[in-house]
Amino acid sequence: MRSIWNGAISFGLVSIPIKLVNATESHSISFRQIHLNDGGRIRYRKVCEVDGEEVPGTEIGKGYEEADGSIIPITDEDLAQLPIATTKTIEIVSFVPADEIDPLQMDAAYYLAANGATAAKPYTLLREALKRSRRVAIAKYALRGRERLGMLRVVDDVIAMHGLLWPDEIRAPEGVAPEGKVSVRDAELDLADALMATLGEVEMSSLTDEYREAVEAMIAAKSEGAFEPPTEVGVEPAGGKVIDLMAALEKSVRAAKESRGETGAESAVGAAEKGKGKAEVTPLRQSGGGRKAPTTAPKAVGGKKSTTAAARKTASGGMKKTASTKSTAHKSTSKSASKSASKSTSTKKTSTAAAKKAAPRKRTSA
């Protein structure tokens, strides 16, 4: 990769010669401006406003415009002679935990490559020190005519640097948050938790720019003269008000489970209703007999006291019911046995009486 800046890392009294290389690249498709009538390309020419002549790039410099409109010429030599240590040096000023860096400050990313064999040892020393400390280095450096702030961290076996915005360049989020007081119920939070758990994690390398791929396919079809406008438009952007937030969350959970190939997606709304008794959404029904879906909260929601209490109550009720059933069965068995014994005794008495009556008749006959 081609370096865009050569200098050194200043690490106390240690100097590490490095080369700065872009760590990212843009894959966005760029378009040219054209004349709609004949398809001719529209070009911009750099013209001097004093003499009206077009000026080549070799004759273009830079200058600072004052309030009255006058221009003060500034040359590269003027900037190079400024008494700033960071002109050709990435000067480390401190080491801090990574979570102290606000992601809003993140800017462009670069790789720092050791420049020469003599830089290998100090480069490796700094890399391993960063690994072991589990911290990042905060540094200052100058690039493209201005001093900048940077953060050094380890990526695999390379030291990477993220450009940081200065703290005063971060705007305060005034007037951005929703106005007025908005309350969110625990049942709604339970559903949001279930949705996040269902969506799970994703391999970042599997994500692609589908819009760019569609544009490339369209360009290829147009170049071959085989382009046909699609009959169906893309997904319409969401808008308007959410009338039933609970229903929308529950539907999202079910759709996410179906997309992952999971079966038996039970109603998380039912679990929320059982735990809080406030959800106003009709629970899902399973096929067959019109039975209601089980209201046991999914494992992903777990951790709520209401759900645990309900589960304990159900278990306790089941145990009592089982005990009652056993007792009833025992009593029924005892009664049946008693009736059987009584019936057997009655039968024996009847048989004995019949035998006594039959005996005299037999003797008289003889």
Side-chain angles (χ1 to χ4, degrees):
M1 291 184 284
R2 185 176 63 88
S3 63
I4 62 173
W5 185 88
N6 292 340
I9 299 176
S10 176
F11 178 33
L13 297 179
V14 179
S15 181
I16 311 172
I18 57 96
K19 296 184 293 185
L20 197 66
V21 178
N22 280 322
T24 61
E25 58 185 2
S26 175
H27 290 166
S28 61
I29 299 174
S30 59
F31 299 99
R32 300 292 187 184
Q33 290 185 329
I34 62 171
H35 188 193
L36 293 178
N37 291 341
D38 54 18
R41 181 176 169 184
I42 304 299
R43 296 182 180 273
Y44 292 95
R45 297 179 179 179
K46 297 180 180 180
V47 178
C48 177
E49 64 179 17
V50 175
D51 57 16
E53 298 292 333
E54 185 175 353
V55 182
T58 55
E59 297 180 11
I60 297 178
K62 47 183 171 281
Y64 176 79
E65 183 177 4
E66 294 190 308
D68 59 0
S70 59
I71 302 294
I72 300 177
I74 303 294
T75 65
D76 292 338
E77 290 75 14
D78 295 333
L79 297 174
Q81 292 174 1
L82 293 176
I84 299 177
T86 57
T87 303
K88 282 292 182 180
T89 304
I90 298 174
E91 182 182 2
I92 295 177
V93 296
S94 68
F95 294 87
V96 300
D99 57 7
E100 289 189 8
I101 305 300
D102 189 342
L104 284 174
Q105 288 185 257
M106 295 291 187
D107 202 356
Y110 308 95
Y111 289 136
L112 304 182
N115 193 2
T118 57
K121 181 64 179 288
Y123 183 96
T124 304
L125 171 64
L126 176 58
R127 183 191 67 197
E128 296 304 315
L130 287 172
K131 281 184 180 180
R132 190 166 70 172
S133 67
R134 296 183 180 179
R135 291 176 173 248
V136 296
I138 303 300
K140 288 183 175 183
Y141 66 102
L143 183 65
R144 299 188 181 97
R146 55 170 292 195
E147 188 173 55
R148 303 169 186 266
L149 195 63
M151 179 191 77
L152 277 64
R153 69 184 184 97
V154 179
V155 177
D156 295 332
D157 289 330
V158 175
I159 298 176
M161 182 173 70
H162 295 268
L164 299 178
L165 299 175
W166 295 98
D168 59 359
E169 293 179 318
I170 305 297
R171 300 173 62 184
E174 298 177 356
V176 179
E179 297 181 0
K181 185 178 180 180
V182 180
S183 61
V184 178
R185 295 178 295 174
D186 288 343
E188 294 168 335
L189 286 174
D190 290 343
L191 279 172
D193 291 340
L195 178 57
M196 290 189 290
T198 303
L199 292 176
E201 300 179 355
V202 65
E203 288 290 339
M204 295 299 293
S205 59
S206 66
L207 301 179
T208 59
D209 186 349
E210 297 180 1
Y211 179 80
R212 176 175 60 85
E213 293 172 354
V215 172
E216 290 176 345
M218 178 191 65
I219 294 173
K222 280 199 168 190
S223 66
E224 296 174 359
F227 175 71
E228 294 183 3
T231 56
E232 297 182 1
V233 296
V235 179
E236 295 183 1
K241 298 180 180 179
V242 177
I243 298 176
D244 193 336
L245 179 59
M246 294 288 286
L249 284 170
E250 196 280 334
K251 184 177 180 181
S252 299
V253 172
R254 186 175 58 207
K257 287 185 176 181
E258 290 176 353
S259 66
R260 293 163 65 94
E262 297 181 11
T263 58
E266 64 185 44
S267 174
V269 175
E273 285 179 338
K274 187 172 183 178
K276 299 298 178 183
K278 296 182 180 180
E280 301 176 355
V281 180
T282 303
L284 292 175
R285 296 182 181 276
Q286 293 180 339
S287 60
R291 297 180 180 178
K292 292 185 178 179
T295 55
T296 305
K299 294 183 179 179
V301 177
K304 297 297 178 183
K305 294 182 179 179
S306 58
T307 305
T308 305
R312 290 177 178 173
K313 185 176 180 181
T314 303
S316 177
M319 293 175 64
K320 289 180 179 179
K321 186 175 181 180
T322 303
S324 177
T325 303
K326 290 182 177 180
S327 177
T328 302
H330 179 69
K331 290 180 179 178
S332 177
T333 305
S334 299
K335 289 181 178 180
S336 299
S338 178
K339 289 182 179 180
S340 300
S342 178
K343 186 175 182 181
S344 176
T345 304
S346 177
T347 303
K348 288 181 179 180
K349 288 180 179 180
T350 304
S351 301
T352 305
K356 288 181 179 179
K357 289 181 180 181
R361 289 178 183 177
K362 188 176 182 181
R363 287 196 294 270
T364 301
S365 170

